[in-house]
Amino acid sequence: MPIPPHRAASGHALRAVAALRTGWRAVHARGPACLVVLLLYAAGVAAANAVQLPRQASPAPAAISLEYAVKATYLYKLAPFVNWPPGEFASPDVPFRICVVGDDPFRGFLADAVVGRRFGTHAFEVLRLDALTADAGCQIAFIGQLPAQTTRQALAAVDGKPVLTVVDSAAPDERGIVQFVIRRGRVGFEINIAAAARNHLTISSKLLSLALKVNSR
């Protein structure tokens, strides 16, 4: 599905992201096979598992770029395909926390996107952090530009903790469990299953099949 080369995620581009959100409900109704179709639809091309980005993405200050609209959608869609260890949640009504660490490139888009959505009985919650700490209570931690700490320090803070670390393509010096990458102008991701195991997480084989690369060490 071609994506119009708009500078910001608006019009057809945002409708494509909205269609992805709506279609995700079919994953639970129709099974894992639907996941592959849906994520490939979100990606825009079956071969690359990615979404075509505008060649010159220069969003207005109040707008979110298509790149980060896609990344935001990936963030909360990853949750059902990761197994957290038993006892991760103290009670059924504890929120599932997605932490945005450092500068926030989503500009409220992610927080708006998860309103009314749940991981099982746990409502999604987006928390903005200047630095990642072991006691932050994150289930997913998106690590981008970090004025207060290095990517290595952020990853070390939750090493061995049941936190799915997702490192932005704009911060490639250290890699998390999930690493966003830009290939030929497209957003994709790599997965490190060894890092996941160290954090006591198991990644679904369906999600692994969509990764551009799976690292085992």
Side-chain angles (χ1 to χ4, degrees), residues 137-202:
C138 310
Q139 278 71 52
I140 296 178
F142 173 82
I143 301 169
Q145 297 296 317
L146 305 178
Q149 64 184 164
T150 66
T151 304
R152 178 175 294 184
Q153 289 170 334
L155 293 172
V158 293
D159 188 41
K161 303 287 185 181
V163 179
L164 183 74
T165 54
V166 182
V167 176
D168 194 11
S169 54
D173 52 319
E174 296 288 337
R175 294 181 173 245
I177 296 171
V178 176
Q179 175 72 41
F180 281 131
V181 295
I182 305 295
R183 298 278 179 84
R184 295 185 294 276
R186 302 175 185 274
V187 177
F189 60 90
E190 299 177 359
I191 296 177
N192 188 313
I193 56 175
R198 288 196 299 272
N199 282 15
H200 312 288
L201 303 175
T202 305

Side-chain angles (χ1 to χ4, degrees), residues 37-48:
V37 174
L38 187 59
L39 280 185
L40 291 179
Y41 172 77
V45 291

Side-chain angles (χ1 to χ4, degrees), residues 65-84:
S65 70
L66 176 57
E67 173 186 346
Y68 282 100
V70 171
K71 289 176 178 178
T73 303
Y74 270 127
L75 277 179
Y76 70 90
K77 299 305 186 185
L78 293 173
F81 303 96
V82 178
N83 291 323
W84 273 264

Side-chain angles (χ1 to χ4, degrees), residues 3-169:
I3 301 293
H6 297 325
R7 289 187 174 183
S10 59
H12 294 299
L14 279 182
R15 284 196 291 273
V17 174
L20 169 63
R21 296 183 197 163
T22 302
W24 198 264
R25 298 176 187 147
V27 172
H28 300 285
R30 301 179 186 176
C34 187
L35 166 66
V36 177
V37 174
L38 187 59
L39 280 185
L40 291 179
Y41 172 77
V45 291
N49 308 320
V51 175
Q52 180 66 48
L53 299 178
R55 292 185 178 180
Q56 294 180 341
S58 303
I64 179 176
S65 70
L66 176 57
E67 173 186 346
Y68 282 100
V70 171
K71 289 176 178 178
T73 303
Y74 270 127
L75 277 179
Y76 70 90
K77 299 305 186 185
L78 293 173
F81 303 96
V82 178
N83 291 323
W84 273 264
E88 169 65 9
F89 299 97
S91 66
D93 58 350
V94 171
F96 183 102
R97 183 170 286 177
I98 302 175
C99 297
V100 177
V101 188
D103 295 340
D104 182 5
F106 303 115
R107 305 180 186 183
F109 183 92
L110 177 59
D112 290 344
V114 301
V115 170
R117 299 181 182 277
R118 292 179 174 271
F119 175 77
T121 62
H122 309 282
F124 283 107
E125 175 183 82
V126 176
L127 181 67
R128 165 77 172 78
L129 300 173
D130 290 327
L132 187 58
T133 60
D135 59 355
C138 310
Q139 278 71 52
I140 296 178
F142 173 82
I143 301 169
Q145 297 296 317
L146 305 178
Q149 64 184 164
T150 66
T151 304
R152 178 175 294 184
Q153 289 170 334
L155 293 172
V158 293
D159 188 41
K161 303 287 185 181
V163 179
L164 183 74
T165 54
V166 182
V167 176
D168 194 11
S169 54

